[in-house]
């Protein structure tokens, strides 16, 4: 490569030398997410998540419970391998509407032509998983929960499954909302099988041989629905009284994508929303110029109200004296400075926010720039002027004064640099 950043003598160290805040998720405690810079602690984030059951994936790839008000530093899983560094996990409030997520032998679950063996090693490392064994009878071998009341919205079902016997390489979900909707999963090979039209599926491999299998479907408003977990690749097969599939951690949540597992034992459980804000003070940031940099990956488009990251003056409401990164509920990435969509400067991108994005927004009067994953994007619209911000004293994963504006996704870094950068530096900073 003759030109470009790979032959550029610049280094990231040079770019970060004048940073006001650097937060790469690494350390936390009750109510606090630590930033690496400034060393005074002024850049640490306040964190809250009210009572509820919440989990994360630890550095060993195991699921573990996290206490209230403690940030969840969770690890990605790629082809069953754990990422080197954690991300800050920010999720909305969700419910597990199933009351016995790990107890498939319990009478809460209706059963047909199966037996349940306990005490198998589960995705959290404990002996809490069940082997669901098909009897030697011919027919449908399943467990299910009936009497579910569906709203006319998207619902997501998930369960952890593990291959154990050649007779049953697959299982399938049956979602019933007046008619049956199927989704098949191959837990021997870790692949998705067929699914009915409108059923969105995913399968994620864990290091210990488990897979999290999910199905999302837009149900009708219906009373008396059900979710069924059925062994095999067809609705009728013959078991042998010993072969089956390992299962653990069943979850039903209202929403268009799966979130972190919420365990239950006798009642439905809630995980409250993650709220992270309040980094910095009036001495931390440069009002006249700088760069707001975020590395983030979102969960989905259109399943929430718009969410925000903001660098702002906390004394002003909304967008006034604020630099804002917005993931719109329409799926677009929008950048504001000191105004709404009809005022002053903005960038607007149609981009896949479900991929890992490195976003750098440079602010300076008449010198605003946006780079995403190494590419510069043009200003979408300018009102009467390109503004100069004033009184910057806080950076937040939300926009104060707007309800339900908390950022959603996996955050790998948030940095505020207190000077403008060259195009080459902005490209280097954001190149994947």
């Amino acid at each position: 490569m003759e030109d470009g950043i790979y032959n550029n003598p610049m280094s990231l160290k040079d770019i970060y030398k004048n940073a006001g805040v650097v937060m790469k998720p690494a350390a936390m405690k009750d109510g606090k997410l630590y930033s690496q810079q400034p060393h005074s602690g002024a850049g640490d984030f306040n964190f809250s998540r009210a009572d509820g059951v919440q989990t994360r994936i630890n550095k060993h790839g195991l699921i573990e419970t996290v206490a209230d008000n403690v940030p969840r530093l969770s690890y990605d899983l790629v082809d069953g391998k754990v990422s080197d560094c954690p991300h800050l996990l920010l999720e909305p409030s969700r419910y597990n509407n199933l009351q016995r997520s790990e107890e498939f032998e319990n009478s809460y679950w209706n059963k047909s032509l199966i037996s349940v063996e306990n005490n198998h090693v589960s995705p959290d490392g404990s002996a809490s998983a069940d082997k669901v064994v098909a009897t030697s009878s011919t027919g449908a071998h399943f467990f299910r929960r009936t009497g579910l009341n569906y709203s006319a919205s998207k619902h997501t079902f998930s369960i952890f499954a593990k291959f154990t016997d050649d007779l049953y390489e697959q299982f399938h979900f049956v979602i019933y909302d007046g008619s049956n909707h199927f989704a098949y999963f191959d837990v021997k090979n870790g692949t998705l099988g067929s699914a009915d039209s409108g059923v969105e599926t995913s399968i994620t491999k864990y290091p210990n041989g488990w897979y999290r299998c999910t199905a999302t479907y837009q149900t009708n408003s219906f009373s008396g629905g059900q979710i069924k977990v059925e062994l095999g690749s067809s609705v009728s097969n013959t078991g042998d009284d010993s072969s089956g599939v390992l299962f653990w951690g069943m979850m039903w949540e209202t929403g268009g994508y799966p979130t972190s597992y919420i365990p239950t034992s006798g009642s439905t459980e809630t995980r409250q929303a993650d709220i992270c804000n309040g980094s910095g003070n009036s001495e931390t940031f440069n009002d006249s110029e700088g760069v707001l940099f975020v590395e983030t990956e979102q969960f989905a488009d259109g399943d929430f109200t718009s969410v925000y990251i903001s660098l702002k003056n906390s004394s002003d409401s909304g967008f006034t004296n604020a630099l804002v990164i917005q993931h719109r509920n329409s799926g677009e990435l929008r950048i504001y400075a000191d105004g709404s969509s009809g005022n002053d400067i903005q960038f607007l991108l149609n981009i896949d926010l479900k991929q890992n994005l490195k976003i750098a927004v440079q602010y300076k009067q008449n010198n605003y720039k946006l780079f995403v994953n190494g590419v510069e994007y043009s200003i979408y619209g300018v009102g009467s002027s390109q503004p100069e911000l004033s009184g910057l004293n806080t950076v937040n994963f939300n926009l104060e004064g707007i309800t339900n504006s908390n950022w959603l996704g996996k955050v790998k870094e948030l940095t505020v640099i207190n000077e403008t950068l060259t195009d080459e530096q902005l490209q280097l900073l954001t190149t994947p």
Side-chain angles (χ1 to χ4, degrees), residues 25-140:
M28 74 292 178
K29 68 174 184 178
D30 185 357
K32 192 70 67 175
L33 173 67
Y34 293 118
S35 293
Q36 287 80 5
Q37 197 167 318
H39 300 303
S40 65
D44 296 341
F45 286 82
N46 300 316
F47 185 88
S48 65
R49 185 184 52 251
D51 58 0
V53 180
Q54 47 272 322
T55 60
R56 70 162 189 157
I57 300 172
N58 68 20
K59 64 181 179 181
H60 305 294
L62 297 175
I63 294 173
E64 65 181 20
T65 301
V66 177
D68 297 342
N69 297 316
V70 174
R72 288 180 294 162
L73 304 191
S74 192
Y75 288 77
D76 279 324
L77 298 175
V78 181
D79 296 327
K81 297 181 180 180
V82 185
S83 61
D84 293 331
C85 300
H87 56 260
L88 172 65
L89 182 59
L90 299 173
E91 293 185 309
S93 179
R94 286 283 181 90
Y95 300 83
N96 186 349
N97 296 295
L98 298 172
Q99 298 179 17
R100 298 280 179 179
S101 66
E102 301 170 18
E103 304 167 60
F104 302 120
E105 80 285 357
N106 192 279
S107 60
Y108 177 82
W109 297 99
N110 307 127
K111 305 170 190 66
S112 176
L113 304 182
I114 63 168
S115 62
V116 180
E117 298 176 2
N118 307 119
N119 302 320
H120 293 267
V121 178
S122 73
D124 69 356
S126 67
S128 58
D130 293 331
K131 182 177 180 181
V132 175
V133 175
T135 69
S136 57
S137 301
T138 299

Side-chain angles (χ1 to χ4, degrees), residues 106-342:
N106 192 279
S107 60
Y108 177 82
W109 297 99
N110 307 127
K111 305 170 190 66
S112 176
L113 304 182
I114 63 168
S115 62
V116 180
E117 298 176 2
N118 307 119
N119 302 320
H120 293 267
V121 178
S122 73
D124 69 356
S126 67
S128 58
D130 293 331
K131 182 177 180 181
V132 175
V133 175
T135 69
S136 57
S137 301
T138 299
H141 302 82
F142 64 81
F143 61 95
R144 67 182 176 184
R145 180 62 185 172
T146 60
L148 306 183
N149 296 324
Y150 293 135
S151 58
S153 59
K154 283 191 174 183
H155 297 265
T156 297
F157 299 90
S158 60
I159 196 168
F160 292 85
K162 185 176 182 179
F163 170 78
T164 181
D165 302 302
D166 281 330
L167 186 60
Y168 288 106
E169 299 179 4
Q170 294 189 35
F171 78 94
H172 57 279
F173 282 132
V174 183
I175 304 167
Y176 179 74
D177 67 343
S179 58
N180 289 326
H181 312 279
F182 296 85
Y184 290 82
F185 303 89
D186 183 331
V187 291
K188 181 178 182 180
N189 300 298
T191 57
L192 295 172
S194 61
D196 281 356
S197 176
V199 181
E200 305 167 25
T201 58
S202 69
I203 187 167
T204 303
K205 185 178 182 180
Y206 281 65
N208 50 8
W210 284 89
Y211 293 93
R212 192 183 189 192
C213 305
T214 75
T216 298
Y217 183 71
Q218 173 79 36
T219 65
N220 297 311
S221 179
F222 188 79
S223 298
Q226 64 176 268
I227 179 64
K228 181 193 296 184
V229 178
E230 190 165 333
L231 300 183
S233 57
S234 64
V235 296
S236 180
N237 53 77
T238 303
D240 61 6
D241 293 317
S242 63
S243 298
V245 177
L246 294 178
F247 290 109
W248 183 83
M250 182 76 173
M251 186 165 164
W252 162 34
E253 52 188 318
T254 301
Y257 59 92
T259 63
S260 57
Y261 171 56
I262 303 172
T264 64
S265 182
S267 62
T268 61
E269 293 288 352
T270 304
R271 182 197 59 247
Q272 300 291 350
D274 301 290
I275 301 173
C276 190
N277 55 28
S279 170
N281 56 35
S282 59
E283 299 178 357
T284 310
F285 307 111
N286 183 350
D287 291 344
S288 61
E289 65 177 65
V291 175
L292 172 60
F293 171 73
V294 178
E295 183 175 2
T296 185
E297 177 184 335
Q298 305 303 90
F299 303 123
D301 287 332
D303 192 47
F304 46 80
T305 58
S306 295
V307 295
Y308 301 84
I309 296 170
S310 61
L311 172 63
K312 69 189 301 290
N313 184 331
S314 60
S315 298
D316 292 318
S317 61
F319 297 94
T320 303
N321 277 316
L323 179 66
V324 172
I325 298 173
Q326 178 193 27
H327 181 184
R328 304 178 75 198
N329 56 8
S330 61
E332 296 165 308
L333 176 67
R334 176 174 262 171
I335 313 299
Y336 295 136
D338 196 32
S340 63
S341 60

